[in-house]
Amino acid sequence: MAIYQTLLRRNKEWAQEELEKDPDFFTRLENVQKPEVLWIGCSDSRVAANVVTGTLPGEMFVHRNIANMVVNTDLNMLSVLEYAVAVLKVNHVIVCGHYGCGGVAAAMTNKSYGLINKWLRNIKDVYRLHKDEVDALPTEAERVDRMVELNVIEQVYDLAKTTVVQRAWKDRQGPHLHGWVYRLHDGIIHPIIEREPGSKVEDIYRFDFDD
Ligand code: CO
């Protein structure tokens, strides 16, 4: 059986199992979407947002891209962020990276990967900010893993720099921002940073709203 046929078969089995456990499962989900969390994660197939957090459909709004980036000009990410924060009013935004991230590792080399160079440039900029700390580590694996942590910290900061988040902090004292790193080796998530609503950003990134 081809893989896509396997997926369709598993889908039917899953839907049937859910119905057997809870006959109202789908009708309940059909009528309301009220997740409390926005997850911004890596596209890596091994870091499946709902699976690693044990969450069900309906519990998390999800955006994934290579190396879990919050890029200021990324219309896709910004649209997801605005919808989650301003409309769904999520209380928590989580940026979750993972140790051994191929995107971060690639960004730390001089290899040219074509179009993706433009995406990885954002990670190279994080490296430049923390070059001394990262270069002091003895092995490549340790340097990549520290960069994964630093990258998550920077992406959380990038969230705090957006008008979407600053507007919500002013209007409703939410959401909380979190930076996590998942370890492929044992499946455990390590919290790295948390930013409370209204937490300080460097003055140049602060917006004064008229109302
Ligand atoms: Co990755």
Side-chain angles (χ1 to χ4, degrees):
M1 192 182 280
I3 181 64
Y4 75 94
Q5 290 169 318
T6 307
L7 300 186
L8 292 170
R9 180 176 53 76
R10 283 191 204 159
N11 164 255
K12 285 196 191 71
E13 290 166 2
W14 167 78
Q16 189 57 41
E17 280 165 26
E18 293 303 325
L19 267 183
E20 279 163 18
K21 278 188 281 183
D22 176 3
D24 298 327
F25 185 74
F26 293 108
T27 38
R28 227 180 23 248
L29 281 174
E30 191 179 9
N31 296 322
V32 62
Q33 177 176 229
K34 194 76 190 77
E36 286 189 54
V37 173
L38 166 62
W39 171 280
I40 299 174
C42 184
S43 295
D44 192 303
S45 63
R46 299 164 295 180
V47 195
N50 288 116
V51 177
V52 303
T53 55
T55 45
L56 292 170
E59 289 192 275
M60 289 203 303
F61 207 62
V62 172
H63 177 78
R64 290 168 71 182
N65 60 41
I66 290 175
N68 41 270
M69 302 300 289
V70 176
V71 176
N72 179 45
T73 50
D74 176 3
L75 193 58
N76 185 352
M77 184 282 299
L78 289 171
S79 302
V80 170
L81 179 68
E82 177 160 296
Y83 190 73
V85 171
V87 181
L88 297 172
K89 297 190 168 25
V90 298
N91 287 320
H92 300 274
V93 181
I94 297 162
V95 176
C96 188
H98 63 102
Y99 293 113
C101 183
V104 172
M108 291 177 72
T109 71
N110 297 102
K111 227 175 136 180
S112 173
Y113 293 92
L115 175 72
I116 204 175
N117 291 344
K118 292 163 181 57
W119 190 254
L120 299 182
R121 235 296 298 284
N122 299 293
I123 306 172
K124 289 178 186 282
D125 293 341
V126 174
Y127 170 71
R128 182 169 51 83
L129 283 174
H130 302 279
K131 192 173 181 304
D132 293 345
E133 181 190 340
V134 174
D135 285 354
L137 294 167
T139 67
E140 191 191 333
E142 284 170 280
R143 289 192 287 274
V144 170
D145 284 353
R146 182 57 185 149
M147 264 297 293
V148 165
E149 294 173 351
L150 292 166
N151 188 49
V152 159
I153 291 167
E154 288 295 330
Q155 304 319 301
V156 169
Y157 193 15
D158 286 336
L159 283 173
K161 294 172 195 166
T162 64
T163 39
V164 173
V165 166
Q166 290 189 22
R167 175 94 246 174
W169 279 358
K170 179 169 184 281
D171 291 351
R172 65 174 179 92
Q173 292 73 53
H176 297 253
L177 308 180
H178 308 261
W180 292 356
V181 179
Y182 174 82
R183 196 186 292 279
L184 293 167
H185 181 67
D186 58 9
I188 301 297
I189 291 170
H190 299 263
I192 302 291
I193 189 174
E194 184 172 345
R195 273 182 175 263
E196 298 295 318
S199 74
K200 208 163 160 39
V201 293
E202 264 183 82
D203 205 49
I204 194 68
Y205 297 122
R206 183 178 49 77
F207 294 107
D208 293 324
F209 297 105
D210 291 335
D211 55 325

